[in-house]
Amino acid sequence: DVKVTQSSRYLVKRTGEKVFLECVQDMDHENMFWYRQDPGLGLRLIYFSYDVKMKEKGDIPEGYSVSREKKERFSLILESASTNQTSMYLCASSLLGGGRGTEAFFGQGTRLTVV
Amino acid sequence: SQQGEEDPQALSIQEGENATMNCSYKTSINNLQWYRQNSGRGLVHLILIRSNEREKHSGRLRVTLDTSKKSSSLLITASRAADTASYFCATDENTGFQKLVFGTGTRLLVSP
């Protein structure tokens, strides 16, 4: 079974802290994604990556950065956490697909609270 | 934002009834996917329909795609209480690499 593992299920951080959310997948997938999920807004794409060291901005990249130094690991960084970044963060991965499209596999989510 | 819209936002039905959810999107796509999310959990893939397909079935699921109207529908037949969840459509935009953009979701409640 494909496994996408997020480092924490729940996290509480203080305003201004630098926060690292880690995601690891074990199926050699090229694509990895970070989303945030808020009530009534669905999932919004923050960043995605299609290869090691490659990254593309999603729809809401402001206040976030990412790192992909190894194929299996994709990190989301909140440079200076703010209360409006309190949310559920979801990581996903998928095969490259070659234009035919492939399903994404999701981690269990990290519920981040910034106080 | 390129995010799609789902309709209705919430749907409440009885076991045995059919549930239909609709998704509209804005851009040219390679494919459209439907996912399910149980409360507070990650998403699980249900079905993928490519841009050159019009209809697809998987068990009790039926998905249609109308690229001229930029819309899709998910039909769950003979619903069960265990189908209670949120359902999301996701579009794989035609950008050269896979960029999955999700809709706002439909909350389905199936009562016994």
Side-chain angles (χ1 to χ4, degrees):
Chain A
D1 274 357
V2 174
K3 205 168 208 181
V4 179
T5 304
Q6 295 183 227
S7 53
S8 304
R9 188 85 173 91
Y10 299 94
L11 211 51
V12 179
K13 294 292 182 181
R14 295 195 180 280
T15 301
E17 274 193 79
K18 190 168 186 176
V19 181
F20 293 85
L21 302 183
E22 306 286 347
C23 176
V24 177
Q25 50 95 3
D26 66 357
M27 280 301 290
D28 205 33
H29 285 171
E30 291 85 3
N31 299 319
M32 295 191 76
F33 308 84
W34 274 108
Y35 297 88
R36 67 176 280 177
Q37 183 176 20
D38 301 286
L41 298 178
L43 278 75
R44 292 180 291 167
L45 181 62
I46 305 171
Y47 270 96
F48 65 104
S49 168
Y50 53 90
D51 201 353
V52 175
K53 296 193 188 295
M54 305 304 290
K55 61 185 179 185
E56 293 287 334
K57 291 180 180 178
D59 295 321
I60 51 163
E62 296 79 18
Y64 303 94
S65 63
V66 289
S67 171
R68 193 161 181 205
E69 296 297 318
K70 293 186 178 181
K71 192 175 184 180
E72 66 271 18
R73 187 180 296 270
F74 192 35
S75 302
L76 179 69
I77 304 154
L78 285 67
E79 298 291 343
S80 177
S82 64
T83 54
N84 63 14
Q85 291 178 310
T86 291
S87 186
M88 169 74 93
Y89 289 87
L90 292 162
C91 174
S93 72
S94 69
L95 284 169
L96 195 57
R100 289 180 53 78
T102 58
E103 66 178 285
F105 294 84
F106 279 80
Q108 77 279 24
T110 296
R111 189 166 293 281
L112 172 68
T113 302
V114 182
V115 298
Chain B
S1 169
Q2 303 300 311
Q3 194 174 29
E5 295 276 335
E6 270 145 288
D7 169 56
Q9 289 187 337
L11 182 59
S12 185
I13 59 174
Q14 300 287 321
E15 264 191 330
E17 293 180 340
N18 295 342
T20 300
M21 291 159 259
N22 302 296
C23 167
S24 61
Y25 58 92
K26 299 173 186 176
T27 64
S28 172
I29 62 171
N30 285 323
N31 63 77
L32 185 143
Q33 305 178 30
W34 285 90
Y35 289 79
R36 166 196 169 121
Q37 183 183 37
N38 287 84
S39 180
R41 314 290 292 184
L43 279 73
V44 175
H45 181 263
L46 294 175
I47 196 165
L48 181 154
I49 186 165
R50 303 194 196 289
S51 60
N52 61 353
E53 297 175 313
R54 292 295 166 258
E55 188 170 313
K56 203 159 184 182
H57 297 255
S58 176
R60 293 184 296 113
L61 305 180
R62 173 178 167 252
V63 169
T64 61
L65 179 65
D66 186 336
T67 54
S68 66
K69 294 181 179 178
K70 290 188 168 58
S71 67
S72 173
S73 67
L74 171 68
L75 168 68
I76 304 174
T77 59
S79 62
R80 306 165 183 168
D83 294 328
T84 294
S86 291
Y87 292 83
F88 294 88
C89 68
T91 51
D92 183 353
E93 297 183 348
N94 197 3
T95 58
F97 36 70
Q98 188 181 37
K99 179 185 176 186
L100 270 184
V101 177
F102 282 79
T104 50
T106 293
R107 292 190 316 277
L108 174 65
L109 173 64
V110 182
S111 302

